[in-house]
Amino acid sequence: MKSFLVISLFALLLPRCSRGFEYWNQTKLVDDGITDVGVPHFVPITLIGSAAAKGAVCMDGSLPGYHLDKGFGSGANSWLVQLEGGGWCNDINSCLYRKKSRRGSSYYMEKQLQFSGILSNKPEENPDFYNWNRVKIRYCDGASFLGEGYDSAAGLFFRGQRIWLVSMEELMSKGMRYADQALLTGCSAGGLAAIHHCDEFRALFPGNIRVKCLADAGMFLDAIDVAGQRTLRHFFGGVVNLQDILLENVSFGLQEWRETYQGPALLAFSLFCIQTPLFLLNTAYDVWQLQESLATKAADPHGYWIDCKMNNAKCNTGQIEFLQGFRNQMLLSVRKFSLSSKNGLFINSCFAHCQSERQDTWFGSNSPSIRNRGIAKSVADWYFDRFQVKLVDCPYPCDGSCHNLVFSRRY
């Protein structure tokens, strides 16, 4: 039976792989005029030559890849592995579209990527992880590194699980087997992948070393949209069926989920089932979910939500009230998860999406904070067991530290 750990989520740009779900690539973002600081640090891509023989290929059959910046000094044996985000595709047409992009083929991937935020190699930008071995695994399967299928008619490979496994084998051969501490992370679709693969990652290492996971913008609630429908529920069902997603050690299947899904309750159950310490970094007003599941074109045919979706400052009273209900559902979803002393939580009241990858939101003089505690410090304090971190922001518009995303054009 196909089993799907419904974290009520499924992430990024999650862009579904369709145009509507890839707004990162098609919309210019304005972020308070703040830019990354320092000299950009670019890391070349490495393709995994052994992957083809194992069927661990991108959607078009090309080799998967990763970017590795070696650690040094005290971090020479510490490893931070980031799973790239980029949404999913839930039907043949959207997958064919994705197949001809960097989200489905290594032929279109950048040969070098800038490492910033949690991947930065500068102590002034990333004080706790700058000298670790830092890896970004590229995302080209369309299902958060979870699929295990093939469509011969369309020539589409859904091999996310195999890509995950061959990537781990590759990194272990590159020295990760000798790690004295490790952190698995990801943003959006990569954040969802980090949740799903968290316990698998833990199992790679001896039990006496510190291994934890960080999911950035990886929570996508099964929330009712502005038209009273459940956009994500239908969409994720398509992803699961198309890509033959099969997860082991899950006690319920897709059909059971469709029949008995109860939103926040099941999300909390799913998160609580993960044994490895996990940190959830999320905004209470995630702009991806606002644009692509709460107020889609289909749900808002007359465009009443367009201005609000593009700029939170233009949301009217009724729209803010609706979004406060979404925030309440999110907090309810993580209540049980947050009770565990091993887990961490940082939910702020910004209109944003992914805050660990960008330098201005990860660590800077005016980065987002809750009770004067920034994101990078909160994650590090939790990871190194300095403090328990369970930070939840007051409701919008109380937080003046936010770097809200404002979109420059409509689509």
Side-chain angles (χ1 to χ4, degrees):
M1 172 184 289
K2 296 177 183 177
S3 296
F4 181 42
L5 180 55
V6 184
I7 251 162
S8 153
L9 350 155
F10 229 141
L12 192 91
L13 304 74
L14 320 177
R16 126 210 214 184
C17 143
S18 75
R19 291 179 174 81
F21 280 68
E22 284 191 342
Y23 71 85
W24 274 162
N25 297 333
Q26 302 186 36
T27 306
K28 181 180 179 181
L29 303 181
V30 179
D31 60 22
D32 302 344
I34 299 170
T35 57
D36 288 348
V37 300
V39 178
H41 178 56
F42 289 91
V43 180
I45 193 170
T46 298
L47 298 181
I48 305 175
S50 63
K54 300 175 182 179
V57 293
C58 297
M59 298 183 73
D60 68 337
S62 59
L63 295 175
Y66 64 93
H67 303 254
L68 166 61
D69 198 25
K70 295 291 290 183
F72 56 93
S74 62
N77 289 322
S78 300
W79 286 75
L80 187 154
V81 178
Q82 184 187 76
L83 301 175
E84 185 180 31
W88 332 271
C89 52
N90 69 332
D91 57 37
I92 293 297
N93 286 336
S94 62
C95 289
L96 286 173
Y97 174 80
R98 186 185 190 94
K99 176 182 176 180
K100 296 180 180 180
S101 76
R102 62 190 175 95
R103 302 299 187 193
S105 170
S106 60
Y107 294 129
Y108 298 95
M109 291 178 183
E110 304 89 335
K111 303 309 178 186
Q112 296 188 88
L113 276 186
Q114 182 180 351
F115 272 23
S116 62
I118 196 172
L119 293 177
S120 173
N121 68 336
K122 303 177 180 65
E124 66 271 21
E125 296 180 351
N126 188 24
D128 289 282
F129 306 107
Y130 73 96
N131 64 348
W132 286 31
N133 295 279
R134 286 153 291 105
V135 186
K136 190 180 192 78
I137 298 177
R138 301 307 297 268
Y139 177 41
C140 62
D141 65 272
S144 287
F145 298 88
L146 297 172
E148 181 52 65
Y150 174 66
D151 189 293
S152 58
L156 289 167
F157 295 87
F158 305 122
R159 298 291 173 78
Q161 179 66 26
R162 298 192 196 190
I163 292 174
W164 158 262
L165 291 173
V166 77
S167 297
M168 292 303 103
E169 292 175 1
E170 174 84 356
L171 295 181
M172 294 295 273
S173 72
K174 296 293 183 179
M176 194 168 74
R177 69 181 64 183
Y178 305 114
D180 51 28
Q181 54 188 351
L183 174 64
L184 177 68
T185 184
C187 164
S188 204
L192 181 64
I195 294 172
H196 280 295
H197 289 296
C198 185
D199 285 342
E200 290 179 71
F201 187 69
R202 162 73 267 188
L204 295 173
F205 305 97
N208 62 338
I209 75 167
R210 180 187 287 116
V211 180
K212 298 185 179 183
C213 306
L214 163 64
D216 178 6
M219 289 179 50
F220 290 82
L221 305 183
D222 180 44
I224 295 175
D225 64 26
V226 298
Q229 304 300 314
R230 294 184 182 272
T231 300
L232 286 191
R233 182 181 296 193
H234 174 74
F235 176 75
F236 294 149
V239 177
V240 172
N241 282 327
L242 178 66
Q243 302 219 25
D244 290 334
I245 291 176
L246 178 64
L247 298 181
E248 298 178 354
N249 304 318
V250 179
S251 60
F252 55 89
L254 176 61
Q255 189 59 37
E256 295 172 87
W257 166 55
R258 286 174 170 165
E259 294 174 355
T260 66
Y261 188 85
Q262 295 181 12
L266 185 52
L267 168 60
F269 169 79
S270 302
L271 290 173
F272 197 71
C273 284
I274 297 171
Q275 300 301 307
T276 306
L278 173 66
F279 192 103
L280 296 179
L281 166 60
N282 230 89
T283 71
Y285 311 96
D286 185 277
V287 294
W288 182 87
Q289 186 132 9
L290 169 59
Q291 296 195 352
E292 301 299 341
S293 73
L294 297 178
T296 63
K297 289 182 179 180
D300 179 38
H302 300 293
Y304 297 131
W305 279 80
I306 288 180
D307 288 339
C308 178
K309 289 193 299 182
M310 302 300 290
N311 184 348
N312 59 284
K314 297 183 178 181
C315 296
N316 62 38
T317 302
Q319 290 167 336
I320 291 297
E321 183 178 352
F322 177 89
L323 294 173
Q324 300 298 18
F326 175 75
R327 172 183 180 272
N328 292 339
Q329 181 178 343
M330 179 176 291
L331 298 185
L332 178 61
S333 298
V334 300
R335 179 178 297 174
K336 186 177 180 182
F337 167 86
S338 67
L339 294 177
S340 173
S341 60
K342 73 177 186 295
N343 294 329
L345 194 67
F346 189 106
I347 297 182
N348 57 5
S349 293
C350 307
F351 284 76
H353 184 74
C354 291
Q355 299 179 94
S356 64
E357 295 181 338
R358 292 171 39 145
Q359 194 58 55
D360 61 332
T361 50
W362 172 249
F363 187 78
S365 60
N366 62 347
S367 294
S369 63
I370 301 177
R371 295 194 287 278
N372 296 318
R373 297 177 66 85
I375 294 172
K377 178 173 175 53
S378 298
V379 170
D381 283 347
W382 163 79
Y383 181 84
F384 294 107
D385 299 315
R386 297 167 184 161
F387 302 103
Q388 284 194 18
V389 180
K390 308 291 173 65
L391 294 172
V392 177
D393 212 349
C394 48
Y396 175 84
C398 72
D399 190 342
S401 71
C402 285
H403 292 183
N404 296 315
L405 293 176
V406 177
F407 295 79
S408 62
R409 72 177 177 83
R410 299 174 181 178
Y411 60 99

